[in-house]
Amino acid sequence: MAGYLADDSVLRRVIGENVVALSGPRALLMMASHPVAFEGFFAHTGSLADPYTRLRRTASVLDLIAWGDDREAADRATARVRAMHKRVRGRTAEAVGRFPVGTPYRGDDPELLLWILASMADSAVLVYTKYVAGLDDEALDALWADYRVVGRLFGLRDEDMPADWRAFRTYVSGLLASGDLVVTDRARELAIDIVLNPPAPLVARPLVALVNQLTVGLLPRDLRRQYGLRWDPIRHVALESGAVYAKRLLLPFAPGRLRLIGPARAA
């Protein structure tokens, strides 16, 4: 049985690169910057204690949609996710921004689901275009069309999602400028204590430090400020120089076994 995405899917091209996995921590911090989404998808579900488990779980379902050749398997996996979301119900415990105390939330709220999907898509595209290759308007439209397939499987309707990439960018830019994204104290703890200090063996600490710099540098400026994360011109130059080196000299000559994830190598 054919899968949901074609062999030449732009989403496959993007998430098939190992380096795009580095977008995960940024995506988590983007998600957590929406105070109601934070309550529903992190605090309520217990993901606050181990957000990387949530990220790995989401990534495994995304891989099944992107690379699987059995739609029924993807349908079963996403049905389980939708059932979990449907059970998430609650009210916020504090007033944050325009959201008063007691604001109701639910895991299948289209507004919150869209922000989760958008955080993944925006972060993946940012890392891919910065470190791997550019994407023209046609490719970006095709990529967002693929993400809309993912959104539908997670419970969003077509009318819940931007129609094309330009509309998607308008949505993300509008939300960033709206004032709705407010980093709470608990979300700030998530950034500092968990996302930026994940459990890792001593030998991996230099890699963690590198990923942290990338995560901090690629966050929108206002969210970086709200999270209390330091940034300066020297770090900016280092980030940009590293991106140019990777894009022009490193990744183009890297063997597929190092550059691509398993499903991408097999395809």
Side-chain angles (χ1 to χ4, degrees), residues 24-144:
R26 180 190 186 269
L28 281 173
L29 295 185
M30 292 283 284
M31 296 174 193
S33 69
H34 192 300
V36 183
F38 177 79
E39 286 294 325
F41 290 99
F42 289 90
H44 183 108
T45 62
S47 295
L48 186 60
D50 189 1
Y52 283 98
T53 294
R54 174 186 175 80
L55 191 63
R56 286 192 296 270
R57 201 162 50 229
T58 302
S60 66
V61 177
L62 179 60
D63 284 346
L64 189 59
I65 297 169
W67 305 99
D69 57 4
D70 183 352
R71 291 193 179 194
E72 291 183 357
D75 290 344
R76 288 193 297 271
T78 52
R80 288 193 294 270
V81 173
R82 292 196 305 275
M84 290 172 58
H85 288 168
K86 192 172 183 179
R87 292 194 294 269
V88 173
R89 296 285 189 277
R91 293 181 178 273
T92 57
E94 60 179 330
V96 181
R98 72 172 180 86
F99 303 104
V101 62
T103 296
Y105 63 79
R106 65 182 203 274
D108 55 1
D109 183 334
E111 180 180 341
L112 303 185
L113 284 174
L114 178 58
W115 180 240
I116 299 301
L117 181 68
S119 297
M120 294 190 297
D122 185 71
S123 299
V125 169
L126 181 57
V127 171
Y128 182 89
T129 54
K130 198 169 192 66
Y131 288 89
V132 183
L135 294 169
D136 60 23
D137 291 342
E138 182 179 359
L140 288 168
D141 274 339
L143 176 64
W144 179 242

Side-chain angles (χ1 to χ4, degrees), residues 125-241:
V125 169
L126 181 57
V127 171
Y128 182 89
T129 54
K130 198 169 192 66
Y131 288 89
V132 183
L135 294 169
D136 60 23
D137 291 342
E138 182 179 359
L140 288 168
D141 274 339
L143 176 64
W144 179 242
D146 289 340
Y147 271 111
R148 280 168 57 91
V149 172
V150 176
R152 284 193 289 271
L153 289 168
F154 278 89
L156 289 167
R157 303 166 300 173
D158 284 345
E159 56 266 34
D160 296 326
M161 298 178 281
D164 54 26
W165 183 257
R166 176 176 292 185
F168 171 76
R169 289 307 318 157
T170 299
Y171 159 74
V172 173
S173 299
L175 198 53
L176 286 170
S178 69
D180 284 0
L181 302 181
V182 180
V183 176
T184 64
D185 289 341
R186 286 200 296 172
R188 197 172 296 111
E189 292 173 4
L190 173 76
I192 297 172
D193 295 336
I194 301 176
V195 174
L196 298 184
N197 292 299
L202 185 62
V203 68
R205 297 311 297 179
L207 177 60
V208 170
L210 177 63
V211 173
N212 285 349
Q213 288 302 306
L214 186 150
T215 300
V216 174
L218 296 184
L219 274 175
R221 181 181 301 178
D222 181 60
L223 294 187
R224 186 166 61 221
R225 177 190 59 79
Q226 288 195 53
Y227 275 114
L229 300 170
R230 295 178 56 192
W231 195 246
D232 55 53
I234 294 176
R235 289 186 174 94
H236 177 75
V237 170
L239 179 71
E240 294 300 320
S241 300

